[in-house]
Amino acid sequence: MLARPTLLSHSSWRSLVAGLCAALLSTQAQAKDILVVTDSQHPVLATSGVRVIELDQPARIKGELGAHLPADPTRSTAVVQQRLKDGGNALQARLGAAYQDVVDAWSLGITTIPAVVVDQRYVVYGEPDVAKAVALIEAHQRTQP
């Protein structure tokens, strides 16, 4: 047997709609896609949940693989191959993520570091404190119609 739908009064309906709108708007206001592009020479102050791209990460991983190699090229090759094998999937994932990060930064057109990008639309260059950069962007957004 099917239940009969309950009809809401006009005031209950308005309260329900207002509550849903408030919930959606508060989620939207808090949901910001924040990305920081930098390198190891330009540290940033970022909170958790902020994606940080370090453009020199691929070179640093390559440096780890090539550290303290023997002078003999044949032995050096064998050492690097062993390091790659020992690193397994985790190393491959690190390398893949590092290069993908570089591609992502390049695709956004980042020209200077550090760069704080919000919602892939707004960018603040040169500010290492992510909270301050986001505050600058929010202040700009408040001045826009």
Side-chain angles (χ1 to χ4, degrees):
M1 178 173 187
L2 294 175
R4 198 167 177 197
T6 303
L7 296 177
L8 296 175
S9 69
H10 184 68
S11 62
S12 296
W13 179 254
R14 285 181 55 186
S15 296
L16 177 65
V17 169
L20 286 173
C21 287
L24 288 173
L25 289 174
S26 68
T27 302
Q28 183 181 13
Q30 294 173 359
K32 285 190 177 3
D33 178 30
I34 302 172
L35 170 70
V36 178
V37 181
T38 191
D39 64 14
S40 60
Q41 301 300 310
H42 298 87
V44 294
L45 180 61
T47 59
S48 63
V50 172
R51 180 178 172 206
V52 178
I53 292 176
E54 290 187 345
L55 296 175
D56 58 349
Q57 184 67 17
R60 293 195 338 251
I61 295 170
K62 184 179 172 184
E64 291 172 20
L65 290 171
H68 311 294
L69 292 175
D72 177 40
T74 304
R75 287 185 44 213
S76 289
T77 300
V79 169
V80 170
Q81 288 174 345
Q82 186 61 47
R83 288 176 182 172
L84 288 167
K85 183 179 175 185
D86 291 346
N89 290 339
L91 177 58
Q92 289 179 13
R94 279 181 62 211
L95 279 166
Y99 280 107
Q100 184 62 55
D101 283 348
V102 171
V103 169
D104 292 348
W106 177 80
S107 69
L108 288 170
I110 300 302
T111 59
T112 305
I113 55 175
V116 177
V117 182
V118 175
D119 296 334
Q120 294 186 0
R121 184 172 175 197
Y122 303 97
V123 63
V124 172
Y125 289 112
E127 176 56 65
D129 186 331
V130 175
K132 286 182 182 177
V134 170
L136 288 169
I137 290 168
E138 289 172 346
H140 169 76
Q141 288 173 323
R142 285 191 294 273
T143 66
Q144 302 305 302

